[in-house]
Amino acid sequence: MKTLRMYPSSLNDRYLDEAVEAMGRGEIIIYPTDTLYALGCDALNNGAIEKLCRVKGLNPQKQTLSIICDGLSMASEYARIDNEAFRILRTNLPGPFTFILPASTRLPKVFKGRRTVGVRIPDNAIARALAERLGHPVLSTSIPQEEDGIDPATIAIEYEDTASLFIDGGEGEGVPSTVIDLTDSSSPDILREGKGELQ
């Protein structure tokens, strides 16, 4: 696994291109978000998604898969966002939230049978830049981390055989995103309390 050190405050175009090219080849990468580090792949590549689900022991038929988008315009292509949901997203994003929304038909067949998708627009320039350069969402699943903080070196060792590329964005907090079910936007349901406080 190749490690690239880059911080959200100073993006490296060459490193971002390298990460996007790896995802374009169907590979898995590790990258920082505004909460935990995450495993990611091209969200429109069925083979890559199936590989990532196998690695994490996820069943896409039973568990909601999440995507990283660069903004609300991209999110609205892959999730159905009504006016009230849009207002809530616009108020709280970018930020440490995963919003569960009705999935659109543009998502690949791995999502078929799933009516929902988790949407993230992290307050982290690296994560958003990856989706922007890819031109569509990054499938994302967070890496479990200790609550006393994130040690990139430990992640690199643990996922050496899983990912082809690791963007080391430095240490961070070990607090996951707040997960909110917005399938009924008139009554948002907080499924997991995390780093974000809903406004």
Side-chain angles (χ1 to χ4, degrees), residues 20 44 70 74 77-78 106 129-137:
V20 167
L44 301 188
D70 67 350
M74 181 182 286
E77 292 182 48
Y78 298 93
R106 290 202 59 185
L130 289 170
E132 181 184 6
R133 288 185 182 228
L134 193 60
H136 51 259

Side-chain angles (χ1 to χ4, degrees), residues 54-66:
R54 267 198 315 277
V55 165
K56 280 295 296 278
L58 298 174
N59 180 344
Q61 300 309 312
K62 294 182 178 173
Q63 288 158 294
T64 300
L65 299 176
S66 292

Side-chain angles (χ1 to χ4, degrees), residues 162-189:
T162 301
S164 66
L165 189 142
F166 176 34
I167 298 176
D168 179 352
E171 293 185 7
E173 305 167 46
V175 184
S177 63
T178 294
V179 180
I180 297 154
D181 186 340
L182 263 192
T183 48
D184 176 3
S185 61
S186 63
S187 59
D189 183 16

Side-chain angles (χ1 to χ4, degrees), residues 44-123:
L44 301 188
N45 183 321
N46 268 305
I49 295 170
E50 287 166 356
K51 180 178 167 187
L52 186 52
C53 287
R54 267 198 315 277
V55 165
K56 280 295 296 278
L58 298 174
N59 180 344
Q61 300 309 312
K62 294 182 178 173
Q63 288 158 294
T64 300
L65 299 176
S66 292
I67 56 173
I68 298 267
C69 298
D70 67 350
L72 289 174
S73 176
M74 181 182 286
S76 65
E77 292 182 48
Y78 298 93
R80 295 202 303 279
I81 304 172
D82 62 26
N83 289 340
E84 181 57 20
F86 186 83
R87 186 192 67 75
I88 292 168
L89 267 61
R90 194 179 59 203
T91 303
N92 292 280
L93 296 173
F97 298 94
T98 302
F99 288 102
I100 309 297
L101 290 156
S104 85
T105 53
R106 290 202 59 185
L107 289 164
K109 71 171 188 278
V110 170
F111 285 85
K112 295 295 180 271
R114 289 293 318 174
R115 297 199 176 98
T116 57
V117 61
V119 170
R120 289 219 61 203
I121 303 174
D123 188 15

